[in-house]
Amino acid sequence: MRLRRRFAVAVLSLSLLAACSEEASAPRLADESSSGSSPDVVAAGADDAPRLADESSSGGGFVSVAAGAGHWCGLRLDGSIRCWGYNYAGQASPPDGEFVAVDAGRAHTCGLHVDGDVECWGISGTPPSDQFGSLDAGLYGGCGLRVDGTARCWGDNSDGRASPPGGVFAAVAAGWSHSCGLRVGGQVECWGRDWDSQASPPDDEFASVSLGYRYSCGLRTGGAVECWGTDDLGLTSPPSGEFAVVDAGSGHACGLRTDGTLQCWGGNTAGEASPPDGEFVAVSAGSGLSCGLRPSGELECWGDNRGGSASPASRDKFTSIDAGSSHSCGLRADGAVVCWGLDWDGQASPPGGQFAAVATGFSQSCGLRTDGTLQCWGDDEHGQAPDGEFASVSLGGSSACGLRVSGAIKCWGSDSVETRAPPGGVFAAVAVGLWAHFCGLGTDGALQCWGDDEHGQASPPDGVFASVSLGDENSCGLRTGGTIECWGNTDHGLALPPDGAFAAIALGASHACALRDDGVIRCWGSDDYGQASPPDDVFAAVAVGHSHSCGMRLDGTVQCWGSDRSGQASPPSDKPSPTNWTEPAPPPMVH
């Protein structure tokens, strides 16, 4: 969870907001570029997710950054918004258009258009049709400052948090359960829930105000920070000194000093209150994660990396990819394996060294070394990988199989020996389903399947195939002519693949994707998270997980789509991620 930003005493005009430049070298109040802005979208992939700013970045550098509860957004120089992190409610999928500010709440994001209209996406109340000069997003809703200086709030109005008093304000801020406005004279006035005195500001003169969960912080006109409300984790005990900006997150706060350095305080479970050294021009504190904006327009994040929130760019180059249940792995050109997403059992923490191939399962991953030996990491539910040389490996929910260089199949895992015992003979490939069925592709192109056959998933049709892929209770084969044939459970429409000629196929739990000869990806089946809605682009490979999908472009970059709750659809940056935090559940609801 997190809350918002900072507000200057003077209300800046839209023209000034639109004119913000990344060239500013001195710290400035955050609302010189956007009132309460914070980045949060995401995770569609290399082109749609925010990049680290450089001269070649599409749209140039960033001018502001905003933090939500596990998702982030950045405002580019060209006025477009790019987001990354959690996207289960669409909070990280911003609309097109030109904006002058952006801010993020728990499961929604709001942007301020150049014409003063506010547009929100995700789970939020509907903002009023009005002309605003600034905005700030709260729990489920937000507040905006009209161009005439009056405040207007929308969304959840529990305890009156969306019912501001009348009169003229210089800035307005929305919190989890309370809201505050900064009067033109510098006094702070708050409304809403006041269980920890978070809505009872001191009678003093302030230059800006920012609200967290059950606490508030204000920047005095002299640059000192004062906070009030709950003092859990030392939240109302800010450091001394002179600051230009203060930003209150859920359980920690950060301040931008006048010399451009950052200092944070409060909870530091994932390193969110341990900012990097160097100069910044803006800062945003979220839920277990913080981001800062460098003078160059580059974004740098630290702390909890659930949902890929701290990985705003995806520019790594890969030679192959594979998608597991809630994590993904890619093989780089130098032979190193890189993984991202859920890492509860270490399945996204590969060992070092060079590999020739990588495969992912439910909570385990395996790599094929260049000498043909297998090395696996993550949950040992599959058991120890057997010794010897292998040509390929396939992982399912609780079993794994490898194809030896001799063409024999060797399987291991927690399923019964009878269930996973492969037939004898020489094979060209082997595939493992999510639970308990298996298929081997003979050197003559015929399929032999075994294991659970309740829905006919282990009863392949006759004929010659070029490859085979297995899902939960479904199987699909790619004919040598490029057509797809599927069998097994008919739920979700998985038995009805698209027509046409394809080069590759991949199955997940309830959806499938195939790569056409022309490089276009077509998906079918369940699309609850957008996992069956690939981008319109040209790819060289496709991989499918439980409820997400990934494609590798011709240049080796990876783009993923679908569920990103554990960061499995957020390929890593070419800079190291700060923390691979593990628990994927979204932040709890605060009432």
Side-chain angles (χ1 to χ4, degrees):
M1 314 33 109
R2 36 108 357 200
L3 272 332
R4 238 7 118 209
R5 251 102 294 311
R6 346 71 197 169
F7 301 83
V9 174
V11 180
L12 300 172
S13 68
L14 291 177
S15 60
L16 177 58
L17 288 167
C20 289
S21 168
E22 68 174 320
E23 297 175 356
S25 58
R28 58 175 181 266
L29 291 176
D31 23 15
E32 290 185 36
S33 60
S34 69
S35 174
S37 67
S38 42
D40 40 282
V41 212
V42 100
D47 285 349
D48 293 331
R51 295 177 180 272
L52 296 174
D54 58 26
E55 292 181 359
S56 62
S57 296
S58 175
F62 291 93
V63 297
S64 70
V65 59
H71 77 290
W72 301 79
C73 291
L75 179 69
R76 290 187 185 275
L77 280 168
D78 63 1
S80 63
I81 293 173
R82 291 293 180 268
C83 304
W84 61 101
Y86 282 130
N87 196 29
Y88 54 87
Q91 66 267 42
S93 297
D96 295 331
E98 189 175 354
F99 294 84
V100 295
V102 62
D103 201 26
R106 180 184 184 272
H108 74 291
T109 310
C110 293
L112 180 66
H113 283 285
V114 291
D115 61 2
D117 289 338
V118 171
E119 185 173 359
C120 299
W121 50 98
I123 302 175
S124 69
T126 303
S129 299
D130 220 325
Q131 298 294 299
F132 292 90
S134 68
L135 83 157
D136 198 51
L139 178 63
Y140 277 141
C143 292
L145 189 69
R146 292 189 179 114
V147 291
D148 63 1
T150 59
R152 182 83 180 269
C153 300
W154 60 91
D156 185 0
N157 196 28
S158 302
D159 302 303
R161 69 190 71 171
S163 298
V168 176
F169 290 90
V172 64
W176 289 114
S177 57
H178 71 298
S179 306
C180 293
L182 181 69
R183 293 291 186 183
V184 175
Q187 293 75 36
V188 173
E189 186 172 350
C190 302
W191 55 97
R193 186 172 292 178
D194 196 30
W195 51 10
D196 288 300
S197 299
Q198 67 265 42
S200 298
D203 185 14
D204 237 318
E205 190 173 336
F206 291 88
S208 68
V209 62
S210 181
L211 311 186
Y213 172 54
R214 298 171 61 179
Y215 79 104
S216 308
C217 289
L219 181 70
R220 294 187 180 278
T221 53
V225 172
E226 184 170 354
C227 302
W228 57 95
T230 181
D231 196 37
D232 293 347
L233 306 172
L235 288 169
T236 57
S237 302
S240 59
E242 190 173 349
F243 291 84
V245 171
V246 61
D247 193 54
S250 173
H252 76 292
C254 291
L256 176 69
R257 292 194 178 275
T258 52
D259 63 0
T261 59
L262 295 178
Q263 188 166 358
C264 303
W265 61 97
N268 197 31
T269 305
E272 65 269 31
S274 299
D277 296 332
E279 186 179 355
F280 291 85
V281 296
V283 65
S284 181
S287 176
L289 181 69
S290 306
C291 282
L293 182 68
R294 296 285 189 182
S296 64
E298 178 185 358
L299 298 181
E300 189 165 351
C301 304
W302 57 97
D304 184 347
N305 195 29
R306 285 178 293 182
S309 307
S311 301
S314 176
R315 290 182 289 184
D316 250 331
K317 301 293 182 71
F318 296 90
T319 59
S320 68
I321 53 172
D322 199 37
S325 176
S326 296
H327 74 292
S328 308
C329 291
L331 181 69
R332 286 200 319 223
D334 61 0
V337 170
V338 178
C339 301
W340 57 96
L342 184 64
D343 199 31
W344 265 341
D345 297 297
Q347 64 267 43
S349 297
Q354 288 188 314
F355 291 86
V358 63
T360 59
F362 184 76
S363 56
Q364 188 183 54
S365 305
C366 289
L368 183 68
R369 293 284 187 183
T370 52
D371 63 0
T373 58
L374 286 176
Q375 186 170 358
C376 300
W377 55 95
D379 189 355
D380 62 0
E381 183 181 35
H382 292 321
Q384 186 69 32
D387 295 331
E389 284 188 73
F390 288 84
S392 66
V393 62
S394 178
L395 276 64
S398 55
S399 292
C401 291
L403 182 71
R404 292 197 181 275
V405 291
S406 65
I409 293 174
K410 175 69 174 179
C411 298
W412 65 98
S414 62
D415 289 331
S416 68
V417 175
E418 293 78 11
T419 299
R420 56 181 167 82
V426 178
F427 293 86
V430 62
V432 181
L434 292 182
W435 297 115
H437 79 291
F438 312 79
C439 288
L441 179 68
T443 54
D444 60 356
L447 290 175
Q448 291 189 60
C449 301
W450 63 97
D452 184 13
D453 197 30
E454 180 181 355
H455 298 276
Q457 65 265 41
S459 298
D462 296 332
V464 178
F465 290 86
S467 66
V468 63
S469 181
L470 310 186
D472 187 355
E473 298 173 335
N474 303 84
S475 307
C476 289
L478 183 69
R479 295 281 189 184
T480 53
T483 59
I484 297 170
E485 189 167 352
C486 301
W487 57 96
N489 196 327
T490 59
D491 291 347
H492 309 293
L494 279 174
L496 300 172
D499 296 330
F502 293 86
I505 184 173
L507 266 66
S510 58
H511 79 292
C513 293
L515 180 71
R516 274 193 342 207
D517 287 343
D518 60 3
V520 173
I521 292 175
R522 289 290 178 261
C523 302
W524 65 99
S526 177
D527 197 30
D528 295 343
Y529 299 95
Q531 67 267 39
S533 298
D536 187 12
D537 212 334
V538 176
F539 293 89
V542 63
V544 170
H546 186 277
S547 54
H548 76 291
S549 309
C550 293
M552 185 180 74
R553 291 193 178 87
L554 298 176
D555 64 358
T557 58
V558 171
Q559 181 168 354
C560 301
W561 55 96
S563 175
D564 196 40
R565 190 167 178 174
S566 301
Q568 66 267 39
S570 295
S573 165
D574 56 356
K575 293 191 175 183
S577 297
T579 303
N580 195 5
W581 203 243
T582 56
E583 186 175 352
M589 175 63 70
V590 179
H591 296 287

